[in-house]
Amino acid sequence: MKLTILGSGTVLSKERACSGFLLESGKKKLLIDIGEGAFTNLKRVAEPADINTILLTHFHSDHASALSTFLLYRRLVFKYGPIKSASQLNIIGPKGLAAFCEALDNAFPTLKEVPFKVVTKELENSFLMMPGFRIKSRVVKHESTIAYRIEAEGKSIVFSGDTAYCEDIISLANKADLLVLECSLPDSLPSSNHLTVSQAASIAKQANVKSLLLNHFYPQVENEPIEKIVRNIYSGSLRIASDLMVIEF
């Protein structure tokens, strides 16, 4: 599998786009979250019209605000661009997804004119088969948020979305090849909605994952010795995410 980080930051980041990931297995592609700036980076590495499935972890703007832009692009490229056939778009997310998409349609009426079918599917603690991918989801400790475990080519990758420390993300990530985990805050600023550096490292250790990719950095954590802190707890492979980083595994 191939993972491209489209956005590794938050709305407060000056150099990083908000959350977004492109996962590829052969010719199959999944887009996981699409926050501010992530869509612009997506266009640098892939043709968005080729993507037929989007997974949203939750509906906060730094994870989902560019969905309307993605839909508008897809509409216009099929209407005016060289691509003439429009395949069905599948949007997957937690409970409330249908209402969220309806609200986008109402806010941006031109999205109702898309020349392709849009199908939404809401998940909780679920299992789903998609062409080329096996997907498990678990509700985690953040407002209306689910994490995903995606398996393909004999490999597994877990996306936490936003979460506080909880057993659900540990069990979902058990022995994963790659855990993409939020690391929002320094240990000096514990939160009921996000992870600190040590908490992220502890989750990776307890889940016994092969490799850890930290992302979703607020400015307060960026000057911390993240690698040193993690290494005191977790001994597996470690990467600090940056926009447009590519990982093949």
Side-chain angles (χ1 to χ4, degrees), residues 27-197:
K27 294 184 178 180
K28 303 294 184 181
K29 296 180 175 66
L30 293 178
L31 183 61
I32 300 96
D33 281 346
I34 183 165
E36 177 68 28
F39 180 72
T40 299
N41 282 337
L42 174 63
K43 288 188 292 182
R44 293 187 172 112
V45 299
E47 169 51 64
D50 291 339
I51 297 171
N52 300 319
T53 303
I54 300 175
L55 279 62
L56 296 179
T57 60
H58 61 300
F59 311 123
H60 288 171
S61 60
D62 57 335
H63 292 257
S65 64
L67 177 60
S68 59
T69 307
F70 179 94
L71 291 168
L72 178 61
Y73 175 92
R74 215 171 187 263
R75 170 181 178 263
L76 294 178
V77 78
F78 288 126
K79 185 175 182 179
Y80 299 115
I83 304 172
K84 297 304 180 183
S85 62
S87 55
Q88 174 178 300
L89 178 64
N90 304 294
I91 305 177
I92 299 166
K95 292 187 69 174
L97 174 64
F100 176 76
C101 290
E102 182 179 357
L104 285 183
D105 285 346
N106 292 332
F108 305 104
T110 55
L111 298 183
K112 298 178 182 179
E113 303 170 11
V114 293
F116 49 85
K117 186 177 182 180
V118 178
V119 176
T120 61
K121 186 173 183 61
E122 298 182 354
L123 303 180
E124 290 186 281
N125 298 317
S126 307
F127 174 78
L128 180 67
M129 292 293 296
M130 299 292 295
F133 300 97
R134 292 163 46 94
I135 301 171
K136 296 179 182 178
S137 63
R138 289 290 182 273
V139 176
V140 291
K141 196 176 179 182
H142 192 83
E143 183 182 348
S144 301
T145 299
I146 55 176
Y148 294 98
R149 183 185 181 107
I150 302 168
E151 299 175 351
E153 303 177 32
K155 300 289 186 177
S156 56
I157 180 170
V158 173
F159 295 89
S160 70
D162 286 355
T163 184
Y165 186 91
C166 62
E167 291 297 325
D168 297 282
I169 188 62
I170 296 171
S171 61
L172 185 67
N174 184 46
K175 296 183 180 179
D177 291 288
L178 177 60
L179 171 58
V180 183
L181 192 60
E182 75 124 275
C183 182
S184 297
L185 298 166
D187 291 346
S188 60
L189 292 174
S191 168
S192 60
N193 292 306
H194 292 289
L195 295 173
T196 66
V197 181

Side-chain angles (χ1 to χ4, degrees), residues 212-225:
L212 173 63
L213 173 69
L214 296 177
N215 78 107
H216 197 269
F217 305 110
Y218 278 94
Q220 295 93 328
V221 78
E222 295 219 53
N223 292 325
E224 294 289 297

